[in-house]
Amino acid sequence: MSVSTKWLNEVKWDENGLVPVIAQEASSGDVLMFAWMNREALQRTAESGHAIYWSRSRRKLWHKGEESGHVQKVIEIRIDCDNDVVLLKVEQIGGIACHTGRHSCFFQKFLADGRWEAVEPVLKDPKDIYS
């Protein structure tokens, strides 16, 4: 018996049928990344327990970690008060969420002198992640 998908109707999808998604590490509270989901991606994420996003550049579903092995195990799915942003609380397998080999995609900090600086280390060289 499958779970009803009526809950998907409560999401406020944008004009392209997408909703913004924030992936947050459940254990630390670190914001790991921002992405998009369409209806199918959110449904498949809920069913599989792994983060599946919509790649706007590739125009297809993207199972996080399909190439890198750095999958996101979904602990909890939340939606904001306006029903237009999804929050995934995840366990980041391998500790790397960013394609740059860092823990988080939010590794650049704005400095008072008006420039951005990388303040998080590269944990693994992307050349060693993607072949």
Side-chain angles (χ1 to χ4, degrees), residues 5 7-9 17 27 34 37 40 53 59 62 66 69 76 79-81 87 94 108 112 125-126 131:
T5 58
W7 60 275
L8 290 165
N9 296 332
S27 61
F34 170 85
M37 285 184 172
E40 182 182 2
Y53 299 106
R59 304 202 45 77
W62 159 49
E66 65 190 5
E76 192 174 342
I79 195 165
D80 77 329
C81 57
L87 173 68
Q108 298 180 88
D125 188 322
S131 51

Side-chain angles (χ1 to χ4, degrees), residues 11-71:
V11 176
K12 290 184 183 169
W13 307 98
D14 73 7
E15 63 278 357
N16 297 311
L18 301 174
V19 65
V21 183
I22 299 164
Q24 179 184 38
E25 188 170 48
S27 61
S28 69
D30 288 350
V31 174
L32 299 176
M33 55 179 280
F34 170 85
W36 296 91
M37 285 184 172
N38 63 9
R39 186 181 181 96
E40 182 182 2
L42 184 53
Q43 181 177 347
R44 288 182 56 188
T45 294
E47 291 170 351
S48 71
H50 289 98
I52 299 170
Y53 299 106
W54 175 256
S55 171
R56 294 182 306 162
S57 60
R58 292 177 268 176
R59 304 202 45 77
K60 68 174 192 161
L61 291 176
W62 159 49
H63 186 250
K64 174 67 175 154
E66 65 190 5
E67 292 178 38
S68 68
H70 300 135
V71 300

Side-chain angles (χ1 to χ4, degrees), residues 70-114:
H70 300 135
V71 300
Q72 293 175 341
K73 181 180 175 191
V74 177
I75 307 301
E76 192 174 342
I77 301 173
R78 294 189 181 200
I79 195 165
D80 77 329
C81 57
D82 295 321
N83 291 11
D84 62 359
V85 178
V86 170
L87 173 68
L88 296 183
K89 293 194 176 202
V90 303
E91 176 187 349
Q92 180 63 58
I93 306 302
I96 296 173
C98 186
H99 75 280
T100 66
R102 291 177 172 88
H103 177 64
S104 169
C105 293
F106 295 94
F107 61 87
Q108 298 180 88
K109 179 178 179 180
F110 181 73
L111 302 177
D113 64 2

